[in-house]
Amino acid sequence: MAARATTGRVTRRRARTRANLLDAAFRVFAAKGFGRVSIEEVCEAAGYSRGAFYSNFDSLDELFFALYRERAELIAEQVSGALAVDGPDLDVAAAVDRVTEVLLLDRDWLLVKTDFLVHAARDPAVARALLDHRARLRRAIADRLGRAHGHTALPAVLGDAEGAAHAVVAAYDGVTTQLLLDRDVARARGRLKQLLTALLTDGSGTSGRAGRNA
């Protein structure tokens, strides 16, 4: 019994250490840039030793992917939650409104992600891992759009729910790139709404029904 209690305390302490390292890394990455940060700086910001770092992560790349997974899961939850409100009979235009209202548009995170994207572009192994993480987000979106198949027609040019998910993520990438430069979150949300409405509906702001153009 005592051994189990001790194990529980150790597990909780390790989880707190990991969370604190992630929080500290996010702050340092955002302030200095991913490629300009050392493990020592992350440890100093978190108040831990290198040993604490290496008991949780093998490298800064692995730490970044843990951060990326957290943000990707949050975005997938935001998108899926906004799309789930209508049930199977998805009202795309209304869902676009909800998505753009809640979607994470955090400039510090975008700075960190962009720095890491450049890093990954020069390292094929890291690029493959990043592509896999991005694919998980697209699958979450495609799954929800796919479950609405037969109730709401997507524009034929997108092909299928997977194609629509690619378009949604591409629109998000484009809008957030502009946000890095102009720092205007409200404008970014407006642009994203316009793009998603154009992509996922006939452009009129109203969703089509399956078979409408059959």
Side-chain angles (χ1 to χ4, degrees):
M1 188 72 171
R4 284 199 297 271
T6 299
T7 300
R9 287 195 298 272
V10 170
T11 301
R12 287 193 297 272
R13 184 167 64 246
R14 179 166 182 164
R16 284 196 301 272
T17 299
R18 181 182 176 87
N20 290 338
L21 284 166
L22 287 170
D23 288 344
F26 179 78
R27 295 193 304 271
V28 178
F29 288 163
K32 299 187 65 175
F34 176 84
R36 299 179 180 86
V37 173
S38 66
I39 289 173
E40 288 77 8
E41 288 173 297
V42 172
C43 293
E44 181 179 353
Y48 293 120
S49 66
R50 285 174 62 92
F53 180 94
Y54 283 115
S55 69
N56 287 276
F57 305 103
D58 290 334
S59 65
L60 288 176
D61 283 1
E62 183 182 341
L63 185 152
F64 171 83
F65 280 123
L67 281 172
Y68 190 93
R69 186 163 49 250
E70 284 184 353
R71 299 311 191 280
E73 288 173 356
L74 173 60
I75 292 171
E77 287 172 7
Q78 290 171 331
V79 172
S80 297
L83 296 177
V85 171
D86 298 314
D89 194 13
L90 182 64
D91 182 338
V92 174
V96 166
D97 285 344
R98 292 192 298 270
V99 167
T100 53
E101 285 173 5
V102 304
L103 194 61
L104 179 69
L105 291 174
D106 178 66
R107 190 170 180 275
D108 282 347
W109 167 241
L110 296 173
L111 285 169
V112 174
K113 187 179 75 168
T114 302
D115 279 339
F116 193 79
L117 178 64
V118 173
H119 166 65
R122 294 188 172 97
D123 186 325
V126 178
R128 285 192 296 272
L130 184 56
L131 286 169
D132 180 65
H133 280 72
R134 286 171 61 84
R136 294 178 193 177
L137 174 60
R138 289 197 305 272
R139 283 196 296 270
I141 298 170
D143 177 67
R144 180 61 187 99
L145 292 173
R147 283 186 279 119
H149 181 67
H151 299 273
T152 302
L154 294 169
V157 70
L158 296 177
D160 55 14
E162 181 68 22
H166 273 274
V168 168
V169 174
Y172 177 80
D173 285 343
V175 166
T176 53
T177 297
Q178 182 67 26
L179 175 59
L180 283 173
L181 301 175
D182 65 24
R183 302 169 181 255
D184 192 333
V185 174
R187 182 178 296 178
R189 291 195 187 281
R191 285 175 176 151
L192 187 59
K193 178 180 176 180
Q194 291 172 337
L195 283 171
L196 294 184
T197 299
L199 283 168
L200 300 179
T201 73
D202 60 5
S204 67
T206 59
S207 57
R209 300 294 181 195
R212 169 181 171 178
N213 299 316

